Amino acid sequence: MLTSEHAIVNFERGQALPDRLSRKSDGRYVDLAAAMLRVYAEGVGLTRRELHRRIERLFDEEPCDARRIASFCKLLDDSSAYNTDSGGKAARLRLKVFRLAALRHPLVTEKQSGTLLGNLENEEQTVKQDIAAELGMNWQEIDEALYADVMPFHRLKTPPDYPDAAALLSHYNVAQTQAALYKAQSATLTASEDFKTILRYVKLAGLLHDIRRVGDSTYRIQLDGPASVLRTTSRYGVRFATLLPALLTCKGWRFTVRIKTPWNTLATLDLNPENGLKSRLDAPP
């Protein structure tokens, strides 16, 4: 999922319009999405930072909101697997390497003599080789493990599982709509089909709700949003946003959300199964 910092929402005539890419107006993004998937597919062993820089370079010739690029990186990362260090090995390795290196400072790229500091003979590459030998490793192993506990330096283990570029763009559209829901003050969810399934999703998300029957087979569920007076925690906002992918697998519903704008007014976000958003989740049995 995206965070609120990734959210791109336009407000027009009382409507909240989350950023959405379409084949008709944004067809060039199909090629860009395919290129992004290739970067990750060919980038096993690279760090997050290196992968993100390669993604950014793809947009050098394409004017693009930085939040949109960051959103793609987040979605690609979330669908990938990275090598991490949760046992403190990287921190212990750094202490050993820095202690050994400190004994040989200052380091130089080439030996120098007759300087103000005297003869400078500790060449960086030679020192690295000596340290690696002392630790029983090669320097490449040390380099890859030295900052394995720092997120930008996590190394890609498994590329994202998007089947194609269209799937990545579809997920982007859903994720941006979810990010807009973090600012929801309230919502009305009307269900004429799959009511039991929809209600189960609402309860699983732990959302504050009130149910009323408004027809022979139609129910209205009132929901408190993350921006309501009762709830202001980011945890509730995440739970509220997770409802959308589940809803998209169901039939016969309408989700009308009141979104808080940057000007402390309210705008409406109206969603239904015909909005064109597609969930990555399987439809309920």
Side-chain angles (χ1 to χ4, degrees):
M1 287 178 61
L2 300 180
T3 68
S4 56
E5 287 75 20
H6 295 106
I8 306 173
V9 186
N10 293 316
F11 298 95
E12 297 179 7
R13 300 178 182 179
Q15 298 293 310
L17 306 173
D19 192 38
R20 185 182 295 193
L21 301 171
S22 69
R23 284 182 176 272
K24 184 176 181 180
S25 59
D26 304 289
R28 62 198 182 281
Y29 273 88
V30 175
D31 291 337
L32 285 167
M36 286 187 275
L37 291 175
R38 283 196 300 272
V39 166
Y40 272 70
E42 298 168 1
V44 174
L46 296 180
T47 65
R48 289 180 194 264
R49 186 172 69 171
E50 291 169 324
L51 291 166
H52 292 184
R53 285 176 176 172
R54 293 189 181 193
I55 295 298
E56 290 166 2
R57 285 199 292 270
L58 293 177
F59 289 87
D60 284 347
E61 305 300 325
E62 175 68 34
C64 185
D65 192 312
R67 291 170 297 176
R68 186 180 281 176
I69 300 173
S71 296
F72 281 125
C73 290
K74 178 72 163 58
L75 296 178
L76 289 163
D77 283 348
D78 287 351
S79 191
S80 302
Y82 283 87
N83 290 311
T84 60
D85 171 55
S86 58
K89 293 181 180 179
R92 291 193 293 272
L93 178 62
R94 282 198 298 274
L95 284 174
K96 292 177 182 178
V97 171
F98 293 166
R99 282 198 192 104
L100 293 171
L103 300 174
R104 298 164 170 86
H105 271 256
L107 303 182
V108 293
T109 55
E110 295 181 2
K111 290 184 179 181
Q112 301 176 38
S113 59
T115 71
L116 293 176
L117 298 175
N119 294 333
L120 303 177
E121 299 182 346
N122 292 323
E123 291 181 300
E124 179 184 346
Q125 293 303 319
T126 301
V127 171
K128 284 181 176 180
Q129 291 172 8
D130 291 344
I131 291 174
E134 194 163 342
L135 296 178
M137 305 170 67
N138 63 57
W139 186 257
Q140 183 176 348
E141 292 174 327
I142 294 174
D143 188 50
E144 292 179 357
L146 203 58
Y147 292 99
D149 55 343
V150 181
M151 183 172 285
F153 296 98
H154 289 169
R155 293 186 180 274
L156 182 64
K157 180 170 64 175
T158 306
D161 59 357
Y162 293 101
D164 53 34
L168 173 58
L169 297 179
S170 176
H171 190 199
Y172 173 85
N173 289 340
V174 173
Q176 278 292 347
T177 304
Q178 284 182 284
L181 295 179
Y182 295 146
K183 298 295 184 182
Q185 186 175 79
S186 63
T188 301
L189 179 53
T190 304
S192 56
E193 298 181 59
D194 289 340
F195 169 69
K196 290 183 179 180
T197 301
I198 290 171
L199 180 59
R200 184 171 76 249
Y201 288 140
V202 169
K203 291 182 175 179
L204 285 173
L207 304 182
L208 295 174
H209 63 280
D210 178 71
I211 306 171
R212 296 180 183 275
R213 189 168 184 166
V214 293
D216 291 340
S217 58
T218 302
Y219 295 83
R220 181 176 296 149
I221 306 174
Q222 295 293 145
L223 301 169
D224 286 332
S228 68
V229 175
L230 295 177
R231 293 282 184 171
T232 57
T233 64
S234 58
R235 182 178 299 178
Y236 187 81
V238 170
R239 295 208 304 265
F240 192 89
T242 59
L243 180 61
L244 179 60
L247 268 182
L248 293 173
T249 67
C250 298
K251 297 179 291 185
W253 55 269
R254 182 174 181 178
F255 196 33
T256 304
V257 190
R258 300 289 281 168
I259 303 289
K260 190 174 182 180
T261 73
W263 310 281
N264 288 322
T265 58
L266 293 177
T268 300
L269 173 60
D270 203 358
L271 301 169
N272 60 65
E274 285 71 49
N275 276 153
L277 297 175
K278 297 186 182 299
S279 177
R280 299 185 78 198
L281 303 177
D282 294 328

